[in-house]
Amino acid sequence: MTAKRQPPSIRKLRTLILVALVAGVAVFTGVMFTLVQSLSERFGPQVAADLDWRALRGAQELARASDVGLAVSDTGMVTDAFGVYAQSSDVQAIVAVDAKDQTVASHGKIASIAPVFAAKPGTLVRGDGYVASWAPAAIEGNQVGKVAVVVSTARLTDAQSVLSRVSNTTLIAGVAGALLGALVILFFTHQVSVRDGQLKDYAATLEHKVEARTRELDERNRGMRLVLDNVDQGFLTIDMDGMLASERSSIVDRWFGAPAAGERFTAFVGRQAP
């Protein structure tokens, strides 16, 4: 026969649960953090590329749309040519100058447009919080002006900030979840341990009570046996069904012989007086 396997102790069970909890939270946090990092690596460059494209493409489109206005130095025509670019939240500034580098129309604000126009046309100029580009406006091969588009990088900064917060929140949530779960497990296992100790105390107390009561009954039985063994009368103990109990005076056995176990009183007496 194989020995009966004992259930794990509260301490061992608590350790196993804590290890499983920490491992599960660590895996979940690691997976989420990896996904956020992957999203950050993909999303950030995509936003940056979109802003660069907006600056390059915007300068080229506005240079073509405002060539006539620049040729005649008509501010209204040039301003109308800005169109949806002037309504975009990404566009920080638009500056259109004529062939003499005189500003004909502008939109938004920029500290200095000179670094942008100092670069080669169709290239990107990066400054503090912006990316810009400019393109020449020409009619039949004759340059009539230039248009620069300055795009704010605030959206890229915001996206990177949000992704960074999500990464940090994921890590903090993972650590907090592990700590909270550990505290809950420790609390409940402690309560179970306390209750288990109380039950053991109750069981020990009950065992002592049973032992004391058994000793008391044994003492009473010995006293009754002493009395029954030293009287000249035949005393028998009979239950409500007429069955003989073991308690009887010893003289009964001498007079009638010992009754059989579980024998009825009528059968026992009937053997002596049918």
Side-chain angles (χ1 to χ4, degrees):
M1 295 178 64
T2 58
K4 186 177 180 180
R5 189 173 182 180
Q6 295 294 328
S9 64
I10 296 297
R11 180 176 297 178
K12 185 176 181 180
L13 185 62
R14 177 174 58 196
T15 302
L16 292 175
I17 295 175
L18 287 174
V19 170
L21 172 68
V22 172
V25 172
V27 171
F28 175 77
T29 304
V31 171
M32 293 301 297
F33 185 75
T34 302
L35 291 175
V36 172
Q37 289 296 109
S38 176
L39 180 62
S40 177
E41 293 174 358
R42 294 176 57 187
F43 186 62
Q46 288 178 353
V47 174
D50 179 65
L51 297 178
D52 292 348
W53 178 86
R54 191 174 292 261
L56 290 171
R57 184 70 174 179
Q60 295 171 2
E61 289 184 355
L62 294 185
R64 287 195 297 269
S66 59
D67 52 3
V68 176
L70 291 174
V72 297
S73 298
D74 190 322
T75 301
M77 290 180 62
V78 176
T79 301
D80 291 341
F82 291 166
V84 295
Y85 282 88
Q87 301 172 5
S88 174
S89 58
D90 289 331
V91 176
Q92 177 178 329
I94 304 173
V95 179
V97 300
D98 58 16
K100 297 179 180 180
D101 292 333
Q102 298 297 315
T103 301
V104 177
S106 64
H107 166 75
K109 295 181 180 179
I110 185 172
S112 175
I113 197 64
V116 179
F117 284 127
K120 293 181 179 180
T123 60
L124 290 171
V125 178
R126 302 187 185 278
D128 185 15
Y130 71 86
V131 58
S133 181
W134 71 274
I139 298 177
E140 295 182 357
N142 297 317
Q143 183 172 331
V144 295
K146 297 181 288 186
V147 177
V149 175
V150 181
V151 176
S152 172
T153 57
R155 180 154 61 96
L156 176 61
T157 303
D158 291 343
Q160 293 173 340
S161 177
V162 169
L163 291 172
S164 177
R165 287 198 299 271
V166 171
S167 299
N168 295 334
T169 303
T170 301
L171 291 176
I172 294 173
V175 174
L179 291 177
L180 181 60
L183 290 176
V184 172
I185 291 172
L186 290 174
F187 173 77
F188 282 106
T189 53
H190 174 70
Q191 295 300 318
V192 172
S193 179
V194 171
R195 181 59 59 85
D196 189 54
Q198 292 175 345
L199 291 176
K200 288 181 179 178
D201 292 340
Y202 294 154
T205 303
L206 181 61
E207 289 178 359
H208 293 322
K209 290 182 178 180
V210 171
E211 290 177 359
R213 185 61 58 84
T214 302
R215 287 194 299 269
E216 182 180 350
L217 291 175
D218 289 341
E219 291 175 358
R220 291 182 179 180
N221 289 336
R222 282 194 297 270
M224 182 180 294
R225 173 56 58 187
L226 182 63
V227 172
L228 292 175
D229 289 346
N230 291 276
V231 296
D232 293 332
Q233 290 81 20
F235 292 104
L236 298 99
T237 306
I238 308 170
D239 65 14
M240 297 299 294
D241 295 326
M243 305 295 292
L244 288 172
S246 61
E247 290 81 8
R248 63 186 178 275
S249 57
S250 59
I251 199 171
V252 171
D253 294 351
R254 292 198 299 270
W255 285 351
F256 307 111
E263 188 174 12
R264 289 184 177 275
F265 173 71
T266 54
F268 174 66
V269 175
R271 287 194 283 110
Q272 307 299 327

